[in-house]
Amino acid sequence: MQTKRVTTLGKSPEIAVIGSGFSGLAASAVLAMHGSKVTVYEKNPEVGGRARTFAQDGFVFDMGPSWYWMPDVYDSFYQLFGNITADFYELKKLDPGFAVIFGAHEVMDIPAGFDDVCTLFESIEPGSAQKLRKFIAEGEFKYHVGMNDMVYKPGHSITEFFSFQLFKDAMKLQLFTSFSKHVRQYFKDPRLLALIEFPVLFLGAMPKDTPALYSLMNFSGLKQGTFYPMGGFGKVADSFRQIAENMGVNFKTSQNVEKLEIQKGTISHIHANGNSQQTDAVIGSADYHHIETALLEKNYRSYPESYWENRVFAPSCLLFYLGVDKKIEKLRHHNLFFDEDFEQHAVEIYKDKKWPANPLFYVCCPSKTDPSVAPEGCENLFVLMPIAIGLDDPEVIREQYYDALMDRLEKFAGEDIRSHLLYKKSYSTSNFVNDYNAYKGNAYGLANTLMQTAIFKPKLKSKKVSNLFYAGQLTVPGPGVPPSIISGRIAANELLKFLNR
């Protein structure tokens, strides 16, 4: 079943959406469903933003997202249009969900079943199974309150949270308790601490600077489970594009937006590739800082440059896409290499902002689950090392880290990999800048610190331009695919209110 477009407005407003990542795709589909005439402007040749894919030598590489958590967020979006997830792709629950590697002979496989996860914890730290159940129950409460009552709020004002029930619940969300301190009230073994804290490091901030609210991510990862969309994450982005096109959205790819023309505080035209198009409103789902500084004159910017300089950003990353001509027995689908010091790497990302001395890293091997992403008998590898934003990334540095990471990967695997490469491509900060206009090459947006949560994020509605709204990882709710989907929905709904005022 598919939802038909419905016109709730007197006429069909012309809406421009800048960027076709998940937030832009979600926003465009919702706006079109409600009767707007929507055009999406995408600077790259393909739709999908960071969730683009590319094919080479029989391999299909997901360029960005690889973790499918919070499946209910995807389900909820599809349901808006009368669809279910299975209409677009097969969703497979991974078992093990992922593996944490502490050394060549020390691997922690995270089972798909939560009872088995509790058994694993108990085997590592006696008494921790019961503590894990309590910890995850708290995370589940935060997840449901956050996802049902808080996360879909636009973050305009603190008054949005002025209901008695929400205020009462907010006390249990532990916004003012450090994630690091919270975790250490339950667990002591450094391996369990690393397992619990890894989502914060890879997507957030220093655990000590992150609110304990974000244990909701542990509920999703350890109890809901880790899933994989067969065919790769590109299938998910493609499903959003399909829905948008079904609603009548027009996609214009290879379109570089150069200027937003403003008359009396309102955008009148959008300029792309030398052409001008009239518009009634704009949703900027591309990089917030780029839209503000490159497309708007200074007097129309909501934030000065100093504002962005003082934000805490989630990591950028150094990526390698590798095609290997043999199977690698010891690898799982998701592999987290925590065989170096967690705290040191976190400090190098968030405090020192330098290339790390002994980094943690992550290897995704989707060909373990999905034969369609690699030729028969081959492996598709995605290697990711979190780094600080704004680092210079010349080829010599990329190669230095490639060899260092591969030394450790081959030591763990117990076999040679480098001499079996059929394909290799690197990607890092300068690529994020060139492809996505990402501020200082950021990969994930703003870190999840207390002063960058909810109302403290950059505002979804421009302070200076009446018909300009923002979506994506630099505004509410934050980094990651599910938050970006939600962001697009919020921005679309706020724009609809503006049009109907």
Side-chain angles (χ1 to χ4, degrees):
M1 171 184 156
Q2 290 183 343
T3 297
K4 302 292 185 185
R5 291 181 72 213
V6 294
T7 302
T8 58
L9 306 164
K11 66 179 185 70
S12 292
E14 300 266 359
I15 309 297
V17 176
I18 305 172
S20 69
F22 277 108
S23 65
L25 291 169
S28 68
V30 171
L31 287 166
M33 180 176 68
H34 286 279
S36 296
K37 186 177 179 182
V38 183
T39 301
V40 176
Y41 293 84
E42 169 54 55
K43 77 181 288 289
N44 292 305
E46 318 87 8
V47 168
R50 286 165 168 77
R52 295 181 297 154
T53 63
F54 72 94
Q56 186 75 38
D57 301 335
F59 297 92
V60 179
F61 294 100
D62 282 322
M63 292 188 70
S66 61
W67 291 82
Y68 197 111
W69 282 1
M70 305 183 183
D72 46 307
V73 174
Y74 301 85
D75 295 342
S76 174
F77 179 80
Y78 293 136
Q79 287 164 11
L80 291 176
F81 304 92
N83 293 114
I84 61 173
T85 301
D87 291 338
F88 303 105
Y89 46 86
E90 177 192 353
L91 195 61
K92 182 172 285 191
K93 190 171 188 179
L94 300 180
D95 193 6
F98 55 97
V100 188
I101 295 151
F102 297 103
H105 305 291
E106 188 176 6
V107 181
M108 186 191 297
D109 281 317
I110 308 305
F114 183 60
D115 287 343
D116 293 330
V117 176
C118 292
T119 300
L120 171 66
F121 270 59
E122 189 69 21
S123 71
I124 294 170
E125 184 177 299
S128 64
Q130 184 177 350
K131 292 178 181 178
L132 179 64
R133 291 186 188 280
K134 185 171 185 290
F135 178 81
I136 294 298
E138 290 180 356
E140 184 170 6
F141 171 81
K142 295 170 190 174
Y143 187 88
H144 291 305
V145 170
M147 301 309 287
N148 295 328
D149 299 333
M150 294 181 69
V151 79
Y152 285 91
K153 294 188 181 299
H156 297 319
S157 162
I158 189 69
T159 59
E160 294 168 19
F161 303 94
F162 278 7
S163 76
F164 176 72
Q165 185 59 47
L166 196 53
F167 181 78
K168 195 168 70 170
D169 288 343
M171 296 299 98
K172 302 177 189 174
L173 295 180
Q174 297 181 295
L175 278 168
F176 303 103
T177 302
S178 138
F179 187 93
S180 179
K181 181 179 178 183
H182 177 57
V183 172
R184 280 159 180 77
Q185 290 175 344
Y186 289 85
F187 312 109
K188 294 184 173 58
D189 190 282
R191 293 164 296 179
L192 298 184
L193 295 173
L195 165 62
I196 294 291
E197 290 182 334
F198 99 83
V200 172
L201 176 72
F202 277 62
L203 270 181
M206 295 277 287
K208 68 181 181 63
D209 298 327
T210 301
L213 164 69
Y214 290 101
S215 65
L216 63 85
M217 295 174 71
N218 301 117
F219 159 71
S220 187
L222 297 179
K223 191 166 185 182
Q224 284 185 323
T226 301
F227 297 83
Y228 174 78
M230 294 299 285
F233 235 98
K235 292 287 187 185
V236 187
D238 193 56
S239 72
F240 278 59
R241 178 193 58 78
Q242 287 179 52
I243 288 172
E245 287 182 337
N246 289 342
M247 292 295 106
V249 174
N250 178 32
F251 286 91
K252 290 188 175 183
T253 54
S254 299
Q255 293 283 313
N256 185 41
V257 176
E258 298 142 346
K259 179 184 177 184
L260 296 174
E261 184 179 333
I262 297 175
Q263 297 178 7
K264 296 180 180 178
T266 299
I267 298 169
S268 61
H269 292 79
I270 184 168
H271 294 255
N273 286 14
N275 299 311
S276 174
Q277 179 64 46
Q278 184 273 331
T279 189
D280 293 308
V282 171
I283 286 187
S285 77
D287 186 88
Y288 200 128
H289 172 269
H290 170 75
I291 293 172
E292 287 248 301
T293 56
L295 308 187
L296 296 174
E297 294 176 6
K298 193 170 184 178
N299 56 313
Y300 289 118
R301 297 170 191 169
S302 295
Y303 300 99
E305 192 64 27
S306 58
Y307 172 86
W308 299 104
E309 287 289 340
N310 290 318
R311 296 304 91 190
V312 180
F313 276 79
S316 185
C317 49
L318 172 60
L319 296 163
F320 296 99
Y321 308 101
L322 308 176
V324 182
D325 71 0
K326 66 174 183 176
K327 306 304 284 185
I328 304 169
E329 188 63 32
K330 286 187 71 175
L331 280 180
R332 283 68 162 169
H333 186 122
H334 294 298
N335 309 267
L336 293 158
F337 282 78
F338 277 59
D339 49 342
E340 295 290 352
D341 185 66
F342 181 102
E343 179 71 16
Q344 179 187 348
H345 191 181
V347 167
E348 288 163 338
I349 292 172
Y350 294 108
K351 303 298 183 187
D352 298 342
K353 296 182 180 178
K354 65 181 184 182
W355 283 95
N358 299 294
L360 313 181
F361 68 105
Y362 157 64
V363 179
C364 184
C365 186
S367 46
K368 290 290 178 186
T369 304
D370 186 352
S372 75
V373 300
E376 186 175 355
C378 297
E379 298 284 31
N380 175 321
L381 300 183
F382 170 97
V383 181
L384 180 153
M385 181 182 82
I387 58 174
I389 66 165
L391 298 180
D392 290 331
D393 59 345
E395 193 63 27
V396 63
I397 289 182
R398 295 188 188 202
E399 282 302 300
Q400 172 190 331
Y401 280 94
Y402 170 73
D403 283 328
L405 299 182
M406 293 304 288
D407 283 346
R408 288 160 61 188
L409 176 55
E410 288 178 339
K411 181 180 178 182
F412 166 72
E415 57 184 301
D416 172 52
I417 297 172
R418 275 169 281 196
S419 66
H420 290 268
L421 283 188
L422 296 175
Y423 180 76
K424 173 189 169 189
K425 177 181 178 178
S426 67
Y427 198 95
S428 194
T429 51
S430 60
N431 301 100
F432 283 104
V433 172
N434 292 334
D435 287 355
Y436 310 118
N437 295 311
Y439 177 72
K440 293 189 176 181
N442 81 83
Y444 301 113
L446 290 173
N448 290 321
T449 63
L450 173 60
M451 296 310 295
Q452 293 180 169
T453 294
I455 60 170
F456 301 117
K457 288 190 183 294
K459 295 302 182 187
L460 182 142
K461 187 179 189 305
S462 169
K463 298 178 181 181
K464 305 285 184 69
V465 183
S466 65
N467 59 346
L468 173 58
F469 295 78
Y470 292 94
Q473 59 188 18
L474 288 176
T475 186
V476 292
V481 176
S484 291
I485 294 168
I486 293 167
S487 178
R489 291 180 60 176
I490 299 171
N493 289 330
E494 291 301 298
L495 178 48
L496 289 169
K497 290 178 192 174
F498 168 79
L499 294 170
N500 279 313
R501 71 199 189 286

